Amino acid sequence: MKIESHSTIEGGQTCTLGRANYSIARLVTLSAKFKVMDIPINHLNVYQLYKSLTLREMVKHMRAVNDADLSYPIILDEDGELMDGRHRIMKALLTEAKTIKAVRFDENPTPCRLDAEEQEYDRTNIEPMGTPAIREN
């Protein structure tokens, strides 16, 4: 069975921060003329957890990481949270890059849509980078 390329939702990729939803294509357009900076990888929040991924879904992400182009900057919101570029960050981590190209909004644009309830990340069992997890079985 063929494993398809990674994609998010119909109609294009989106970013969700709290209740706010943004079109990635729109974020790329709005940030196109921003100054590109080199940001140390260890200054980024890389502790978002992904739950309930099947092996096929994980392989889609692995392919997206392999195909990620580090010449394109990641996009950060006004607080430094990631709006676009998680596969580029994963590739940078995998290749042990010290920095990554980034652009940042001084003020977040108006969201494309607001959810009724805020989405929260599960931050339980988060370990610092480079620290192996010790699990009791």
Side-chain angles (χ1 to χ4, degrees):
M1 178 180 261
K2 182 180 177 186
I3 297 174
E4 298 183 19
S5 297
H6 172 76
S7 65
T8 54
I9 63 171
E10 261 182 45
Q13 293 183 339
T14 63
C15 160
T16 301
L17 295 174
R19 294 179 47 223
N21 292 272
Y22 300 93
S23 157
I24 297 299
R26 182 170 166 255
L27 292 175
V28 169
T29 299
L30 292 173
S31 65
K33 295 186 180 182
F34 287 6
K35 178 184 174 192
V36 177
M37 306 171 279
D38 282 319
I39 304 249
I41 295 289
N42 62 359
H43 286 198
L44 296 172
N45 177 1
V46 294
Y47 298 108
Q48 179 179 353
L49 299 179
Y50 294 94
K51 289 186 173 185
S52 304
L53 287 179
T54 66
L55 291 176
R56 290 186 188 285
E57 291 166 331
M58 182 60 73
V59 169
K60 288 180 187 180
H61 281 285
M62 292 167 66
R63 283 192 175 147
V65 169
N66 284 338
D67 295 341
D69 185 346
L70 295 177
S71 69
Y72 291 99
I74 63 171
I75 302 174
L76 304 174
D77 79 348
E78 62 191 20
D79 296 320
E81 290 294 322
L82 183 66
M83 297 181 97
D84 177 52
R86 62 190 168 145
H87 294 110
R88 280 168 273 161
I89 290 174
M90 287 188 267
K91 186 168 190 170
L93 289 167
L94 186 64
T95 61
E96 299 182 359
K98 300 294 183 215
T99 63
I100 192 164
K101 293 182 183 312
V103 293
R104 183 175 177 174
F105 282 95
D106 289 330
E107 183 178 323
N108 289 349
T110 303
C112 298
R113 184 183 80 234
L114 286 174
D115 290 335
E117 295 182 17
E118 184 170 336
Q119 305 296 315
E120 291 190 27
Y121 297 118
D122 179 358
R123 298 188 189 276
T124 58
N125 298 319
I126 296 173
E127 292 126 12
M129 278 180 35
T131 303
I134 299 172
R135 308 255 190 257
E136 292 184 30
N137 292 337

